[in-house]
Amino acid sequence: MRGVILREVGKPVEVSDRLTLRRPGPGEVRVRLRAAGVCHSDLSMCDGTLPAPRPLVPGHEGAGEVVELGPGVAGPPVGTHVILSWIPPCGSCYFCLGGQPNLCVTARAAAGPPTLSLGDEQAHAALGVGCFAEETVVDARAAIPIPDDVPFDVAAVVGCGVLTGVGAVVNTAGVRPGSSVLVIGCGGVGINVIQGAKLAAAAPVLAVDRLPGKLEIARRFGATHTTTPDGLADAVNELTEGRGFDYAFEVVGRSATIKQAWQATRRGGTTVVVGAGSLEDQVSFSAAELFATERRLLGCLYGSGDVRTDFGRLLRLWRAGRLDLDGLISRRITLDDVGDAFTAMASGEVIRSLVIF
Ligand code: APR
Ligand code: ZN
Ligand code: ZN
């Protein structure tokens, strides 16, 4: 089959038609991809910001159709439309039973033999899903059923960017109506933090991005105010009487912007780190500051969500016109254009590029 391959960090990705996929084993299903979004974390794996094994088939924001069940697998049945979850909840570990299935590592750790090969070499599916290939074999619990009438492109974006962004607001932070919200970084994920803030009836919602074009998009998705980073200090003063925001979301993935979000959070307020930073990038602040201002600093993995219920919930909000998913899709591309989509994302030309199969 065809798929995108990263051979070396920092080198352009290639497309190969020599990828082979093994049959699904016990506990697994084979899914034919129908749409897959290009998320910044894919680029981060390709440029070395996030660690990943190689050769790698990137892509972790996908939707498709179940085409084969492994031996003894009860479902979802062949033909079911699914969104792929890059954290399959095992359902029975400490985290799953404790209501934090986004922190489950059990299913992924128990994964069967490698699913992909490239000639006689083993290849790796990014985050256990590898969506930039025609098909994938995944843990059956990573294939979350959705209604047949949901378009695959809309479904795909729910699989990472939408759950991560909206979930950061409604699950991780639990923003209440009338709270002031700051969002730093208005890409595919940040725009969904803004949509989440609108859903939560937050106000004001200040969006910050270094690209003025992104600020215009941010306003369209619900930001009440916008600024480039150089105007942040003034905006904090104007919008919060100098106190800082109730909630500040960092959606870039760098220590410098985490620090900005922290500094713009009020006493007793909450900073949420949504961006996926590198292992080496350290964040620091004074111990006294943390103690004396009682600010809270929260990490956020996959929107603190439960994919088994949250994918459906987000699609119902979309159906009711409360969440704009169609507007997130800037470009529809083929597997051959994934390299260009990385460039377009890095230069800020797109919110999401969607590979259509
Ligand atoms: N200050 C403000 N905005 C910035 C800065 C900065 N210093 N640096 C980058 N940005 C903006 C970019 O202009 C862009 O609009 O952050 C946005 C990032 O958006 P995308 O590249 O579309 O990335 P996205 O897919 O939204 O992911 C953002 O979340 O899931 C993680 O790994 C992902 O860390 C990444 C983050
Ligand atoms: Zn992602
Ligand atoms: Zn679990």
Side-chain angles (χ1 to χ4, degrees):
M1 65 171 183
R2 268 165 70 77
V4 174
I5 308 281
L6 172 77
R7 285 199 169 273
E8 258 183 86
V9 160
K11 292 277 166 63
V13 292
E14 311 158 13
V15 176
S16 172
D17 53 11
R18 294 191 310 119
L19 263 178
T20 50
L21 186 67
R22 68 159 170 77
R23 305 284 298 273
E28 294 177 334
V29 297
R30 181 162 59 94
V31 172
R32 182 168 300 146
L33 270 303
R34 298 292 297 274
V38 181
C39 174
H40 203 108
S41 301
D42 297 309
L43 175 58
S44 295
M45 286 179 225
C46 294
D47 70 14
T49 305
L50 294 176
R54 290 182 310 279
L56 180 78
V57 174
H60 60 280
E61 189 180 84
E65 204 175 322
V66 176
V67 288
E68 185 184 356
L69 306 186
V73 174
V78 168
T80 308
H81 295 192
V82 295
I83 298 177
L84 294 173
S85 166
W86 50 267
I87 302 177
C90 80
S92 53
C93 73
Y94 179 88
F95 300 99
C96 286
L97 293 174
Q100 294 178 297
N102 62 314
L103 302 182
C104 178
V105 290
T106 311
R108 180 100 60 81
T115 58
L116 290 168
S117 40
L118 187 60
D120 38 12
E121 210 181 345
Q122 178 187 325
H124 305 269
L127 301 180
V129 288
C131 295
F132 296 155
E134 290 169 327
E135 297 190 346
T136 183
V137 166
V138 297
D139 189 300
R141 295 165 293 195
I144 309 296
I146 55 166
D148 280 355
D149 62 343
V150 176
F152 286 108
D153 49 6
V154 157
V157 294
V158 170
C160 182
V162 178
L163 175 55
T164 301
V166 176
V169 176
V170 304
N171 297 330
T172 314
V175 170
R176 301 183 58 209
S179 307
S180 57
V181 166
L182 167 67
V183 182
I184 302 182
C186 305
V189 181
I191 288 293
N192 285 298
V193 174
I194 293 167
Q195 293 211 75
K198 183 181 170 190
L199 266 179
V205 178
L206 173 64
V208 181
D209 202 287
R210 60 190 162 87
L211 302 173
K214 289 293 174 79
L215 299 179
E216 208 178 300
I217 298 169
R219 274 190 293 274
R220 183 148 47 83
F221 279 86
T224 60
H225 299 77
T226 60
T227 180
T228 47
D230 53 1
L232 177 56
D234 284 346
V236 173
N237 283 330
E238 274 168 41
L239 295 174
T240 71
E241 297 162 329
R243 272 191 306 272
F245 286 82
D246 297 332
Y247 295 92
F249 294 86
E250 193 274 354
V251 208
V252 178
R254 292 184 47 220
S255 56
T257 36
I258 293 172
K259 200 64 194 279
Q260 280 172 354
W262 172 255
Q263 281 163 348
T265 304
R266 70 161 168 84
R267 286 162 59 79
T270 304
T271 308
V272 184
V273 178
V274 186
S278 80
L279 274 173
E280 293 79 35
D281 196 8
Q282 305 278 320
V283 194
S284 66
F285 46 82
S286 86
E289 206 182 355
L290 181 61
F291 160 74
T293 67
E294 209 182 282
R295 271 174 283 183
R296 293 182 297 170
L297 180 61
L298 302 181
C300 168
L301 180 65
Y302 216 171
S304 311
D306 185 335
V307 292
R308 296 164 298 187
T309 48
D310 281 352
F311 285 167
R313 196 190 302 259
L314 292 164
L315 289 172
R316 288 193 294 278
L317 285 163
W318 164 77
R319 247 193 239 285
R322 313 278 307 255
L323 209 52
D324 180 2
L325 303 184
D326 310 83
L328 297 170
I329 303 168
S330 319
R331 290 184 187 172
R332 290 177 174 78
I333 62 173
T334 66
L335 284 175
D336 300 290
D337 309 318
V338 167
D340 294 340
F342 284 155
T343 313
M345 181 167 56
S347 68
E349 288 165 45
V350 297
I351 311 179
R352 273 294 193 256
S353 299
L354 260 283
V355 178
I356 306 296
F357 293 85

